Amino acid sequence: LSGIYIHIPFCKKICYYCDFYFSLNLANKLDIVQAICTELELRKHFYSPETVIQTIYFGGGTPSVLTAQEIAKILNSITEFYTVSPEAEITFECNPDDLTLNYCQDLHVLGINRLSIGIQSFHDKDLEVMNRRHNSYEAEAAVLNAKQAGFNNITIDVMYGLPGMTPAEWDYTLSKVAELDVQHISAYALTIEPKTAFSKFVKNGRIKIPKDEGVVQYFERLIEFAKEQGFEHYEISNFAKDGMYSKHNTSYWQQKKYLGVGASAHSFNGEYRMWNISNNRKYIESIMQGIVPNEEEKLSQIDRYNEYIMTSLRTKWGVNIEYLKKNFEKDYYRTFAEINKKYIAKGLLQEKENSIILTNKGVMLSDAIMSDFFIV
Ligand code: SF4
């Protein structure tokens, strides 16, 4: 699968836990849209001419700050410079309060066929504490509007381990997810990133977050819920009904190439990782001079190995033994096999069809297991 990621670097409000790159100043939105289109042209040789794009992903920031005309302009540039499959998965991340019925209908007409809605919680108090733009009523309305507009591939983001959250509240959020009958969920434990408002609030005691054992309980409940509701747990934080995996994200986890366009977007060409400058003004200035403002780094064998372990162990497809043997020097597989033996004996990993995957018990300890495999 070959994909294009478009980063829309704007938000209307700062969520207190977020450390993504975005700007609150929407004054240069049109210039950014134009620069994205120009970058798409400048990088039209990223893929070989016979490549067919199978996934397009608008992420952010908040793509739903764009008007239908602005999105159409970007999509037109993609189809002008790349060959896009008629069946391509086109995902669009949005904030619930932007999803009016009209806007959903516009997105549907534009050919967007997968909506990713950043709901996070169905409790107003959680949404307030996180400084989200929407309330629980808007969260629900967003999904209903998307469905009414014809979307049948909807994913929602929810979070657990939030300040002051109780198990009953998490159960309520999950029951709302079930009621809304969406095809996919991404569920994340809150992590406190340095330099965010939450990091400051934890230090000064304004908020308290649950200890690790508490977070594990929420995760266990999530796994149980997913099973009851017929979601397949195909990646640590991702759950899909009827095989409706995120094709775009799955290709990241499978080490496929991807082109990332826009300020702060990352790309990978199979050998080099590249990242664009995280500054809207400098990004626009450079693109207007015909220069993509990015840095790059060649991945060493160790980097590739560690990334492969980290991303593949997170998924239901696991670490493929043949892939390891074919793509890395012998020593890597030997080291892997030794550590693997220990975890198989403990019942944390299992072998299935020539791949090593986490057991249910192992999923709870995945971070520690993965880092044990890393080569430094
Ligand atoms: S909307 Fe998304 S990108 Fe913007 S501040 Fe909130 S979490 Fe971060």
Side-chain angles (χ1 to χ4, degrees):
L1 291 183
S2 303
I4 298 181
Y5 171 81
I6 305 286
H7 190 79
I8 305 301
F10 299 108
C11 291
K12 289 186 187 159
K13 201 172 169 186
I14 301 180
C15 304
Y16 287 158
Y17 55 89
C18 178
D19 71 342
F20 291 157
Y21 175 66
F22 62 86
S23 162
L24 293 173
N25 175 9
L26 273 75
N28 56 5
K29 187 158 65 108
L30 281 179
D31 294 335
I32 279 283
V33 169
Q34 181 53 54
I36 286 172
C37 295
T38 308
E39 187 186 352
L40 282 161
E41 181 174 7
L42 291 171
R43 300 181 79 184
K44 64 183 175 191
H45 300 301
F46 180 88
Y47 286 117
S48 58
E50 65 277 7
T51 302
V52 178
I53 300 300
Q54 269 134 351
T55 66
I56 297 171
Y57 193 104
F58 287 82
T62 312
S64 53
V65 299
L66 297 180
T67 62
Q69 289 77 3
E70 290 160 350
I71 304 163
K73 188 171 158 82
I74 296 173
L75 285 170
N76 287 341
S77 288
I78 296 177
T79 46
E80 186 179 349
F81 303 116
Y82 303 81
T83 310
V84 180
S85 160
E87 276 91 48
E89 172 191 274
I90 309 181
T91 306
F92 194 83
E93 284 182 355
C94 22
N95 239 44
D97 55 330
D98 290 324
L99 287 188
T100 59
L101 181 57
N102 270 343
Y103 192 66
C104 290
Q105 285 165 336
D106 286 347
L107 296 177
H108 198 249
V109 168
L110 285 169
I112 287 159
N113 50 28
R114 186 169 184 269
L115 284 189
S116 170
I117 311 177
I119 285 180
Q120 318 309 352
S121 171
F122 285 98
H123 296 280
D124 286 335
K125 74 165 180 68
D126 292 342
L127 296 167
E128 274 164 31
V129 108
M130 290 190 277
N131 204 35
R132 296 286 306 183
R133 270 164 57 194
H134 65 281
N135 58 33
S136 56
Y137 171 78
E138 288 166 317
E140 207 169 325
V143 179
L144 299 176
N145 286 341
K147 284 183 160 186
Q148 201 182 328
F151 283 95
N152 54 14
N153 192 353
I154 299 173
T155 178
I156 64 179
D157 286 355
V158 285
M159 287 171 89
Y160 54 95
L162 297 172
M165 185 186 225
T166 64
E169 286 168 357
W170 181 226
D171 270 355
Y172 176 79
T173 286
L174 294 176
S175 72
K176 291 307 279 184
V177 172
E179 193 182 306
L180 289 168
D181 192 22
V182 288
Q183 290 72 30
H184 189 283
I185 323 166
S186 295
Y188 303 99
L190 172 70
T191 49
I192 303 294
E193 304 295 345
K195 294 192 196 146
T196 58
F198 262 9
S199 146
K200 209 153 100 197
F201 297 165
V202 169
K203 275 185 209 134
N204 69 19
R206 180 167 150 187
I207 57 165
K208 280 200 174 57
I209 50 158
K211 297 206 166 47
D212 285 355
E213 315 81 75
V215 176
V216 168
Q217 279 176 21
Y218 290 118
F219 188 51
E220 282 172 336
R221 176 66 195 113
L222 169 68
I223 291 176
E224 199 180 276
F225 160 85
K227 212 168 165 190
E228 287 160 10
Q229 296 296 323
F231 284 97
E232 186 183 0
H233 190 187
Y234 74 104
E235 197 269 351
I236 289 193
S237 309
N238 287 280
F239 303 80
K241 274 190 183 159
D242 307 320
M244 293 179 85
Y245 312 133
S246 162
K247 290 185 191 158
H248 187 84
N249 290 338
T250 301
S251 63
Y252 290 155
W253 303 322
Q254 294 179 343
Q255 280 68 51
K256 301 277 184 344
K257 290 181 186 182
Y258 57 87
L259 169 63
V261 173
S264 87
H266 285 224
S267 306
F268 177 57
N269 68 2
E271 212 182 334
Y272 285 85
R273 198 163 287 297
M274 292 148 255
W275 56 97
N276 285 357
I277 194 167
S278 294
N279 180 306
N280 284 354
R281 191 182 45 80
K282 289 186 183 160
Y283 169 76
I284 295 166
E285 281 168 9
S286 178
I287 292 287
M288 291 314 158
Q289 287 167 24
I291 300 163
V292 179
N294 63 11
E295 289 179 66
E296 60 178 34
E297 172 187 52
K298 188 175 187 299
L299 293 191
S300 67
Q301 184 164 208
I302 292 182
D303 294 336
R304 283 196 300 110
Y305 172 84
N306 288 343
E307 277 203 22
Y308 177 65
I309 298 294
M310 186 171 73
T311 49
S312 53
L313 257 192
R314 293 180 63 94
T315 69
K316 70 166 194 142
W317 300 282
V319 173
N320 184 279
I321 293 172
E322 284 314 307
Y323 182 91
L324 267 190
K325 286 183 178 164
K326 217 161 105 192
N327 288 280
F328 301 97
E329 283 166 19
K330 272 192 194 135
D331 283 357
Y332 285 75
Y333 176 65
R334 253 185 248 135
T335 311
F336 177 84
E338 248 167 61
I339 302 170
N340 181 36
K341 219 194 299 171
K342 181 173 90 184
Y343 286 113
I344 292 215
K346 286 185 183 168
L348 298 173
L349 289 177
Q350 58 183 319
E351 186 169 348
K352 224 179 186 177
E353 291 159 17
N354 218 15
S355 288
I356 303 300
I357 55 175
L358 290 164
T359 60
N360 280 347
K361 213 165 119 195
V363 167
M364 307 292 166
L365 299 165
S366 57
D367 284 346
I369 298 173
M370 283 182 234
S371 56
D372 204 9
F373 276 111
F374 290 164
I375 295 177
V376 284

Short mmCIF file of all heavy atoms in Angstrom, two decimals, residues 281-315:
data_model
loop_
_atom_site.label_atom_id
_atom_site.label_comp_id
_atom_site.label_asym_id
_atom_site.label_seq_id
_atom_site.Cartn_x
_atom_site.Cartn_y
_atom_site.Cartn_z
N ARG A 281 5.24 29.59 8.88
CA ARG A 281 5.74 30.71 8.07
C ARG A 281 6.97 30.28 7.26
O ARG A 281 7.05 30.50 6.05
CB ARG A 281 6.06 31.90 8.97
CG ARG A 281 6.33 33.20 8.24
CD ARG A 281 6.67 34.32 9.19
NE ARG A 281 7.64 33.95 10.23
CZ ARG A 281 8.95 33.87 10.05
NH1 ARG A 281 9.47 34.16 8.87
NH2 ARG A 281 9.75 33.53 11.05
N LYS A 282 7.92 29.62 7.96
CA LYS A 282 9.14 29.20 7.25
C LYS A 282 8.82 28.14 6.20
O LYS A 282 9.45 28.08 5.15
CB LYS A 282 10.16 28.64 8.26
CG LYS A 282 10.75 29.73 9.14
CD LYS A 282 11.83 29.17 10.01
CE LYS A 282 12.36 30.25 10.94
NZ LYS A 282 13.05 29.71 12.09
N TYR A 283 7.85 27.29 6.50
CA TYR A 283 7.44 26.25 5.54
C TYR A 283 6.93 26.91 4.25
O TYR A 283 7.38 26.59 3.16
CB TYR A 283 6.36 25.36 6.18
CG TYR A 283 5.67 24.43 5.20
CD1 TYR A 283 6.31 23.28 4.74
CD2 TYR A 283 4.39 24.71 4.73
CE1 TYR A 283 5.68 22.43 3.83
CE2 TYR A 283 3.76 23.88 3.82
CZ TYR A 283 4.41 22.74 3.37
OH TYR A 283 3.79 21.91 2.46
N ILE A 284 6.04 27.89 4.42
CA ILE A 284 5.46 28.57 3.25
C ILE A 284 6.56 29.27 2.44
O ILE A 284 6.66 29.11 1.22
CB ILE A 284 4.38 29.59 3.68
CG1 ILE A 284 3.19 28.87 4.33
CG2 ILE A 284 3.91 30.43 2.50
CD1 ILE A 284 2.23 29.79 5.08
N GLU A 285 7.43 30.02 3.15
CA GLU A 285 8.49 30.77 2.45
C GLU A 285 9.38 29.85 1.63
O GLU A 285 9.70 30.13 0.47
CB GLU A 285 9.35 31.53 3.47
CG GLU A 285 8.69 32.79 3.97
CD GLU A 285 9.42 33.38 5.19
OE1 GLU A 285 10.54 32.91 5.54
OE2 GLU A 285 8.84 34.30 5.79
N SER A 286 9.75 28.73 2.23
CA SER A 286 10.66 27.82 1.53
C SER A 286 9.98 27.15 0.33
O SER A 286 10.56 27.09 -0.76
CB SER A 286 11.14 26.77 2.54
OG SER A 286 11.96 25.86 1.91
N ILE A 287 8.74 26.71 0.53
CA ILE A 287 8.03 26.04 -0.57
C ILE A 287 7.84 27.02 -1.73
O ILE A 287 8.00 26.64 -2.90
CB ILE A 287 6.66 25.49 -0.08
CG1 ILE A 287 6.85 24.34 0.91
CG2 ILE A 287 5.76 25.09 -1.26
CD1 ILE A 287 7.32 23.04 0.33
N MET A 288 7.58 28.29 -1.41
CA MET A 288 7.37 29.27 -2.47
C MET A 288 8.66 29.49 -3.29
O MET A 288 8.62 29.95 -4.42
CB MET A 288 6.86 30.61 -1.91
CG MET A 288 5.44 30.50 -1.38
SD MET A 288 4.38 29.63 -2.54
CE MET A 288 3.05 29.04 -1.55
N GLN A 289 9.79 29.15 -2.67
CA GLN A 289 11.05 29.25 -3.44
C GLN A 289 11.40 27.92 -4.10
O GLN A 289 12.51 27.73 -4.61
CB GLN A 289 12.18 29.63 -2.48
CG GLN A 289 12.11 31.07 -2.03
CD GLN A 289 13.04 31.31 -0.86
OE1 GLN A 289 14.01 30.59 -0.67
NE2 GLN A 289 12.71 32.30 -0.06
N GLY A 290 10.49 26.97 -4.02
CA GLY A 290 10.71 25.68 -4.69
C GLY A 290 11.55 24.71 -3.88
O GLY A 290 12.07 23.74 -4.44
N ILE A 291 11.73 25.00 -2.58
CA ILE A 291 12.57 24.10 -1.76
C ILE A 291 11.72 23.46 -0.67
O ILE A 291 11.03 24.18 0.09
CB ILE A 291 13.73 24.90 -1.09
CG1 ILE A 291 14.59 25.55 -2.17
CG2 ILE A 291 14.57 24.02 -0.16
CD1 ILE A 291 15.47 26.65 -1.66
N VAL A 292 11.76 22.13 -0.58
CA VAL A 292 11.03 21.45 0.49
C VAL A 292 11.91 21.54 1.75
O VAL A 292 13.03 21.04 1.76
CB VAL A 292 10.75 19.97 0.14
CG1 VAL A 292 10.01 19.29 1.29
CG2 VAL A 292 9.95 19.87 -1.15
N PRO A 293 11.41 22.24 2.80
CA PRO A 293 12.27 22.47 3.97
C PRO A 293 12.28 21.25 4.89
O PRO A 293 11.60 21.22 5.91
CB PRO A 293 11.60 23.67 4.64
CG PRO A 293 10.15 23.52 4.28
CD PRO A 293 10.07 22.82 2.96
N ASN A 294 13.05 20.24 4.52
CA ASN A 294 13.07 19.07 5.39
C ASN A 294 14.48 18.62 5.74
O ASN A 294 15.44 19.02 5.12
CB ASN A 294 12.24 17.92 4.80
CG ASN A 294 12.77 17.41 3.47
OD1 ASN A 294 13.87 17.77 3.07
ND2 ASN A 294 11.98 16.61 2.80
N GLU A 295 14.54 17.81 6.77
CA GLU A 295 15.80 17.17 7.14
C GLU A 295 15.59 15.69 6.95
O GLU A 295 14.45 15.22 6.94
CB GLU A 295 16.11 17.44 8.61
CG GLU A 295 16.50 18.87 8.89
CD GLU A 295 16.77 19.05 10.38
OE1 GLU A 295 17.72 18.47 10.89
OE2 GLU A 295 15.96 19.77 11.01
N GLU A 296 16.71 14.96 6.83
CA GLU A 296 16.53 13.53 6.65
C GLU A 296 17.59 12.76 7.41
O GLU A 296 18.64 13.29 7.78
CB GLU A 296 16.57 13.17 5.17
CG GLU A 296 17.85 13.53 4.48
CD GLU A 296 17.87 13.13 3.02
OE1 GLU A 296 16.82 13.17 2.36
OE2 GLU A 296 18.96 12.76 2.53
N GLU A 297 17.27 11.51 7.65
CA GLU A 297 18.19 10.67 8.40
C GLU A 297 18.12 9.27 7.80
O GLU A 297 17.02 8.75 7.59
CB GLU A 297 17.69 10.64 9.85
CG GLU A 297 18.41 9.68 10.74
CD GLU A 297 17.73 9.58 12.12
OE1 GLU A 297 16.51 9.34 12.19
OE2 GLU A 297 18.45 9.71 13.09
N LYS A 298 19.31 8.70 7.50
CA LYS A 298 19.30 7.33 6.96
C LYS A 298 19.16 6.38 8.15
O LYS A 298 19.87 6.52 9.15
CB LYS A 298 20.61 7.08 6.22
CG LYS A 298 20.59 5.76 5.48
CD LYS A 298 21.89 5.66 4.67
CE LYS A 298 21.92 4.51 3.79
NZ LYS A 298 21.90 3.40 3.52
N LEU A 299 18.24 5.47 8.03
CA LEU A 299 18.04 4.54 9.15
C LEU A 299 19.15 3.50 9.14
O LEU A 299 19.43 2.88 8.11
CB LEU A 299 16.68 3.85 9.05
CG LEU A 299 15.44 4.72 9.23
CD1 LEU A 299 14.20 3.86 9.36
CD2 LEU A 299 15.56 5.61 10.46
N SER A 300 19.78 3.30 10.30
CA SER A 300 20.80 2.26 10.42
C SER A 300 20.08 0.92 10.53
O SER A 300 18.86 0.87 10.74
CB SER A 300 21.65 2.50 11.66
OG SER A 300 20.82 2.31 12.80
N GLN A 301 20.85 -0.16 10.45
CA GLN A 301 20.23 -1.48 10.60
C GLN A 301 19.58 -1.61 11.99
O GLN A 301 18.49 -2.17 12.13
CB GLN A 301 21.26 -2.57 10.37
CG GLN A 301 20.63 -3.93 10.41
CD GLN A 301 21.50 -5.02 9.83
OE1 GLN A 301 20.97 -6.00 9.35
NE2 GLN A 301 22.79 -4.89 9.89
N ILE A 302 20.26 -1.05 12.99
CA ILE A 302 19.72 -1.11 14.36
C ILE A 302 18.38 -0.35 14.43
O ILE A 302 17.41 -0.84 14.98
CB ILE A 302 20.74 -0.55 15.38
CG1 ILE A 302 21.93 -1.48 15.48
CG2 ILE A 302 20.10 -0.32 16.75
CD1 ILE A 302 22.99 -1.07 16.47
N ASP A 303 18.35 0.84 13.83
CA ASP A 303 17.10 1.63 13.84
C ASP A 303 15.98 0.85 13.17
O ASP A 303 14.85 0.80 13.66
CB ASP A 303 17.26 2.94 13.04
CG ASP A 303 18.24 3.90 13.67
OD1 ASP A 303 18.45 3.80 14.89
OD2 ASP A 303 18.80 4.74 12.92
N ARG A 304 16.31 0.27 12.01
CA ARG A 304 15.27 -0.47 11.27
C ARG A 304 14.76 -1.66 12.07
O ARG A 304 13.57 -1.93 12.13
CB ARG A 304 15.82 -0.95 9.91
CG ARG A 304 15.89 0.15 8.86
CD ARG A 304 16.06 -0.42 7.47
NE ARG A 304 17.28 -1.21 7.32
CZ ARG A 304 17.33 -2.53 7.17
NH1 ARG A 304 16.21 -3.23 7.12
NH2 ARG A 304 18.48 -3.16 7.05
N TYR A 305 15.71 -2.34 12.73
CA TYR A 305 15.33 -3.51 13.54
C TYR A 305 14.43 -3.08 14.71
O TYR A 305 13.36 -3.64 14.91
CB TYR A 305 16.61 -4.19 14.06
CG TYR A 305 16.34 -5.29 15.06
CD1 TYR A 305 16.02 -6.58 14.63
CD2 TYR A 305 16.40 -5.04 16.43
CE1 TYR A 305 15.76 -7.58 15.56
CE2 TYR A 305 16.14 -6.03 17.36
CZ TYR A 305 15.83 -7.30 16.91
OH TYR A 305 15.56 -8.29 17.82
N ASN A 306 14.88 -2.05 15.45
CA ASN A 306 14.09 -1.60 16.61
C ASN A 306 12.71 -1.12 16.18
O ASN A 306 11.71 -1.42 16.83
CB ASN A 306 14.82 -0.47 17.36
CG ASN A 306 16.04 -0.99 18.11
OD1 ASN A 306 16.15 -2.20 18.34
ND2 ASN A 306 16.93 -0.10 18.51
N GLU A 307 12.66 -0.42 15.06
CA GLU A 307 11.35 0.05 14.58
C GLU A 307 10.46 -1.11 14.17
O GLU A 307 9.27 -1.12 14.42
CB GLU A 307 11.52 1.00 13.40
CG GLU A 307 11.82 2.38 13.89
CD GLU A 307 11.47 3.45 12.89
OE1 GLU A 307 10.64 3.21 12.00
OE2 GLU A 307 12.07 4.54 13.00
N TYR A 308 11.08 -2.08 13.52
CA TYR A 308 10.29 -3.24 13.09
C TYR A 308 9.70 -3.97 14.31
O TYR A 308 8.52 -4.30 14.34
CB TYR A 308 11.14 -4.21 12.25
CG TYR A 308 10.36 -5.44 11.87
CD1 TYR A 308 9.25 -5.35 11.03
CD2 TYR A 308 10.68 -6.70 12.39
CE1 TYR A 308 8.49 -6.46 10.72
CE2 TYR A 308 9.92 -7.82 12.08
CZ TYR A 308 8.82 -7.69 11.25
OH TYR A 308 8.06 -8.79 10.95
N ILE A 309 10.54 -4.18 15.33
CA ILE A 309 10.06 -4.87 16.54
C ILE A 309 8.94 -4.04 17.17
O ILE A 309 7.88 -4.56 17.52
CB ILE A 309 11.22 -5.04 17.57
CG1 ILE A 309 12.33 -5.91 16.99
CG2 ILE A 309 10.69 -5.59 18.90
CD1 ILE A 309 11.96 -7.34 16.72
N MET A 310 9.17 -2.75 17.31
CA MET A 310 8.21 -1.91 18.01
C MET A 310 6.86 -1.86 17.29
O MET A 310 5.82 -2.04 17.91
CB MET A 310 8.77 -0.50 18.16
CG MET A 310 7.91 0.40 19.00
SD MET A 310 8.76 1.93 19.32
CE MET A 310 8.66 2.70 17.73
N THR A 311 6.90 -1.67 15.98
CA THR A 311 5.63 -1.52 15.27
C THR A 311 4.94 -2.87 15.05
O THR A 311 3.73 -2.97 15.20
CB THR A 311 5.81 -0.81 13.92
OG1 THR A 311 6.89 -1.44 13.23
CG2 THR A 311 6.11 0.65 14.08
N SER A 312 5.72 -3.91 14.75
CA SER A 312 5.04 -5.17 14.42
C SER A 312 4.52 -5.88 15.67
O SER A 312 3.44 -6.49 15.63
CB SER A 312 5.93 -6.09 13.60
OG SER A 312 7.13 -6.25 14.26
N LEU A 313 5.25 -5.77 16.78
CA LEU A 313 4.74 -6.43 18.00
C LEU A 313 3.44 -5.79 18.48
O LEU A 313 2.66 -6.40 19.19
CB LEU A 313 5.77 -6.36 19.11
CG LEU A 313 6.58 -7.62 19.42
CD1 LEU A 313 7.34 -7.47 20.72
CD2 LEU A 313 5.77 -8.91 19.43
N ARG A 314 3.21 -4.55 18.09
CA ARG A 314 1.97 -3.88 18.49
C ARG A 314 0.75 -4.43 17.76
O ARG A 314 -0.38 -4.18 18.14
CB ARG A 314 2.06 -2.37 18.20
CG ARG A 314 3.06 -1.62 19.04
CD ARG A 314 3.05 -0.15 18.67
NE ARG A 314 1.75 0.46 18.96
CZ ARG A 314 1.46 1.09 20.08
NH1 ARG A 314 2.37 1.23 21.01
NH2 ARG A 314 0.25 1.60 20.27
N THR A 315 0.99 -5.15 16.66
CA THR A 315 -0.16 -5.57 15.84
C THR A 315 -0.46 -7.06 15.98
O THR A 315 0.38 -7.84 16.44
CB THR A 315 0.10 -5.31 14.34
OG1 THR A 315 1.12 -6.22 13.91
CG2 THR A 315 0.55 -3.89 14.08
#
